Every structure is written in C-alpha cells, then in structure tokens.
C-alpha cells in the first residue's frame, strides 16, 4: 500500500497532472501560500512521488512533476475509484 500518503496530498497529484506545473501556479490554484505549498510539496518529494525538473518552456524556472512511483499510484487509484 501507500502508507506514506496523507489525504491532503491528493490535490497536488490532481493539479500537477501528467505535464507538471510550477509551484507558484499550484499555490494559486490551491489558494494557499507559496511557503505552505512548498512545505507540502517537499513532503511528497521526500516520499518519492514528486520531483523537480527544469521547465521546458523556460529554462530558468522549475516545475513539479510526478515520478514513476507517483504515476503508478495515480494509475492504481484511478482504477480503484471507478
């Protein structure tokens, strides 16, 4: 199972999606501070579900993307919730 997940992580997976997104966008969508968003994103990264990569549209910016572990969890979760 995925015992290292918390219920408040769910919106991060939904909003990051397959393409990834910037932390600032995620914070805006969730209507939370960038600091709070970063704190939670770091917890999810530490658990191995998210990682930071260079934004392909702007080499100076970083985006959050799901790792293989994150994509696998989302795939399994979507089948269970059907």
């Amino acid at each position: 199972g995925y015992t290292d997940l918390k219920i408040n992580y769910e919106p991060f997976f939904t909003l990051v999606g397959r393409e990834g997104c910037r932390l600032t966008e995620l914070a805006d969508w969730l209507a939370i501070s960038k600091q709070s968003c970063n704190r939670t994103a770091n917890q999810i990264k530490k658990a191995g579900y998210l990682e930071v990569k260079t934004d392909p549209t702007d080499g100076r910016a970083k985006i959050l993307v799901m790792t293989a572990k994150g994509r696998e969890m989302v795939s399994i979760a979507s089948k269970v919730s059907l």
Side-chain angles (χ1 to χ4, degrees):
Y2 295 94
T3 58
D4 52 353
L5 292 175
K6 297 180 182 177
I7 191 71
N8 63 317
Y9 293 172
E10 189 282 328
F12 284 74
F13 294 109
T14 301
L15 295 171
V16 166
R18 294 195 176 272
E19 302 299 317
C21 70
R22 293 184 184 179
L23 185 74
T24 53
E25 293 174 316
L26 191 55
D28 287 346
W29 293 333
L30 294 170
I32 60 176
S33 70
K34 286 184 278 187
Q35 294 82 359
S36 179
C37 188
N38 191 46
R39 189 171 31 255
T40 302
N42 283 336
Q43 292 170 353
I44 301 169
K45 287 189 305 189
K46 186 176 178 181
Y49 296 96
L50 292 178
E51 62 185 337
V52 176
K53 291 195 172 183
T54 301
D55 187 335
T57 64
D58 181 352
R60 300 167 297 168
K62 304 292 183 197
I63 59 171
L64 287 170
V65 296
M66 277 190 264
T67 62
K69 181 180 178 180
R71 290 188 302 274
E72 176 186 51
M73 183 277 304
V74 168
S75 176
I76 291 169
S78 68
K79 291 174 187 170
V80 171
S81 66
L82 292 178

